[in-house]
Amino acid sequence: MKGIAAGIGVVVLSPLLLAGTAMMMASSSEATTTSSLSGCLTGIDTAEVTKEVTKLLDGASAKDVHIQGLDLPAEQIPNAQTIVATGISLDVPEKGQIIAIATAMQESRLRNLNSGDRDSLGLFQQRPSQGWGTAQQIRDPVYASERFYKALLKVDGWQQMKVTQAAQAVQKSGYPDAYAQWEDLATALQKAIAATFPNADKDESAKDKATDKDTESSAGGCAPDKDGTSFGRIPEGSVPKGYKIPKDADPKARKAIEWAMHQLGTLYQWGGSCTDSHGPDPMGRCDCSSLMQQAYAHADVKLTRTTYTQVNEGKAVSPKALQPGDLIFSRGTAARPEHVGLYMGEGLVIEAPRTSKPVRITPIKDWDVLAVRRVR
């Protein structure tokens, strides 16, 4: 078993895969994009993933392999295989392997990148300047996986943590909740790949398995409980029938939502101050970020003026942990989003969308969520 990781590493670093990786070398801006909170992957069919993984590992063309969340299976699956094999060789329990895969999905989309943010490299975007190793070492998937696992195993109580908490304890990312979105896919990949190694889990103790089972129910998905579809079609500028601000909403969030709802139906104005949206001066109307600024100003919370700066306000939270009053960002990248809305609870978002459109309420299912900030 100790030789598994090294053997797999040779496969990952084959000329064909290196050529594919070279074509996909990420710039710093691409590395920033990989830190975004992209669409959640829940309800993954583990049996289907296992079938597709097995097909590829048995020599099928990547064109015939389809796994939700993996755009480059010919590169990504062998990298996931290396991570699992390395974990097995180090006697890391399966939860640790899942954490590692989820981390690599978030940091690099399971690609062995030649660059990234500042001096970040490889599957886990580890940095030579932070003591992770030399650039050449970090670009070795086996070495990078070993370093990640060794850091994880030093985290006190990691097996009792949620996947995203344990990953963050190692990575110390600017997007601490982002790893949660990959948990279902990482779990399916780990199970599918581990099944190809005979007796891979024979040394995992009953205690480890019990611990993983105990924490499994608290891991949660990455999507909000409701996606807004229950309200049906929502006429622009109106409040959907049956909606009420949740009773447990934070008082400041409630004030912000209430004020924003009073702007429903007023036309969007790019650069508008949102200080008199019902008045005759178009520049008193709202754009997306001024709606957020003025809504929270009426709750005695000061926000900066633009979407680009509001994405740095308050603290980052995961889409799975959305609460009424959270700011939701989309379009562009997580570091530089181009649109913002206010989460109302019940799967609904209020927004000033674009020119010629009124302030309106939309279901969150229509949003490609890049980042969420809690500002109250």
Side-chain angles (χ1 to χ4, degrees):
M1 194 63 70
K2 299 294 182 184
I4 291 176
I8 296 300
V10 173
V11 174
V12 176
L13 295 175
S14 67
L16 177 61
L17 291 179
L18 279 175
T21 301
M23 294 175 65
M24 292 300 298
M25 285 193 299
S27 65
S28 294
S29 62
E30 287 174 320
T32 299
T33 302
T34 66
S35 294
S36 67
L37 293 170
S38 58
C40 295
L41 295 175
T42 57
I44 299 291
D45 185 338
T46 300
E48 184 63 26
V49 170
T50 300
K51 183 179 78 172
E52 296 296 297
V53 166
T54 302
K55 278 168 52 178
L56 185 75
L57 297 180
D58 285 346
S61 169
K63 295 179 181 179
D64 300 323
V65 175
H66 305 285
I67 298 175
Q68 184 185 7
L70 299 185
D71 298 325
L72 299 167
E75 180 178 5
Q76 293 165 310
I77 290 175
N79 284 336
Q81 187 183 38
T82 297
I83 292 171
V84 172
T86 304
I88 292 171
S89 70
L90 294 174
D91 295 325
V92 177
E94 68 176 41
K95 181 173 181 178
Q97 298 168 33
I98 291 168
I99 292 167
I101 294 173
T103 301
M105 274 301 303
Q106 174 59 25
E107 298 293 348
S108 69
R109 296 299 186 268
L110 274 173
R111 295 175 295 160
N112 192 18
L113 300 179
N114 284 327
S115 59
D117 180 42
R118 289 170 284 189
D119 59 336
S120 299
L121 297 167
L123 289 174
F124 299 93
Q125 290 291 279
Q126 294 156 333
R127 299 177 59 194
S129 65
Q130 301 301 306
W132 287 96
T134 66
Q136 183 177 4
Q137 288 174 322
I138 291 171
R139 284 274 295 130
D140 175 352
V142 175
Y143 173 89
S145 299
E146 287 179 346
R147 285 304 309 270
F148 177 85
Y149 284 127
K150 288 177 181 178
L152 175 66
L153 295 175
K154 290 180 181 178
V155 175
D156 187 33
W158 69 268
Q159 285 181 269
Q160 286 73 49
M161 295 179 180
K162 295 181 180 179
V163 166
T164 194
Q165 292 172 327
Q168 173 63 6
V170 175
Q171 299 295 104
K172 298 177 174 58
S173 167
Y175 300 88
D177 297 309
Y179 305 100
Q181 64 191 317
W182 304 113
E183 182 173 350
D184 282 8
L185 177 59
T187 301
L189 285 173
Q190 190 279 333
K191 291 184 181 301
I193 293 168
T196 68
F197 299 132
N199 302 318
D201 64 347
K202 65 182 176 61
D203 294 325
E204 185 172 353
S205 69
K207 180 180 178 182
D208 288 335
K209 291 186 175 182
T211 300
D212 289 347
K213 185 176 181 181
D214 290 342
T215 57
E216 194 173 85
S217 62
S218 65
C222 61
D225 291 338
K226 299 180 181 179
D227 63 7
T229 55
S230 62
F231 292 100
R233 180 181 173 278
I234 305 172
E236 287 191 335
S238 68
V239 179
K241 185 177 179 180
Y243 170 77
K244 292 183 179 179
I245 300 175
K247 292 180 180 179
D248 59 352
D250 178 89
K252 289 184 177 181
R254 178 178 294 276
K255 285 184 179 180
I257 295 169
E258 287 175 345
W259 189 89
M261 289 171 66
H262 281 98
Q263 317 316 310
L264 285 169
T266 62
L267 284 177
Y268 174 97
Q269 176 62 49
W270 185 84
S273 65
C274 202
T275 54
D276 188 15
S277 63
H278 294 276
D281 183 0
M283 296 311 294
R285 298 173 189 163
C286 310
D287 65 14
C288 66
S289 55
S290 65
L291 178 62
M292 304 299 106
Q293 183 188 48
Q294 292 304 314
Y296 265 107
H298 286 77
D300 297 320
V301 175
K302 291 183 179 180
L303 296 182
T304 51
R305 173 62 183 84
T306 70
T307 304
Y308 301 143
T309 54
Q310 287 176 1
V311 75
N312 297 313
E313 302 272 7
K315 67 177 182 178
V317 296
S318 168
K320 72 167 187 175
L322 274 174
Q323 293 180 9
D326 288 345
L327 303 187
I328 301 177
F329 297 85
S330 68
R331 305 176 197 164
T333 69
R336 194 170 175 80
E338 298 172 1
H339 188 56
V340 61
L342 183 64
Y343 186 62
M344 303 170 63
E346 302 299 317
L348 299 176
V349 185
I350 188 167
E351 63 170 346
R354 62 181 183 275
T355 301
S356 80
K357 290 290 185 178
V359 174
R360 65 186 184 185
I361 294 172
T362 54
I364 197 169
K365 72 175 183 62
D366 293 343
W367 284 67
D368 180 15
V369 180
L370 294 172
V372 179
R373 306 294 294 194
R374 187 159 297 154
V375 298
R376 56 186 183 277

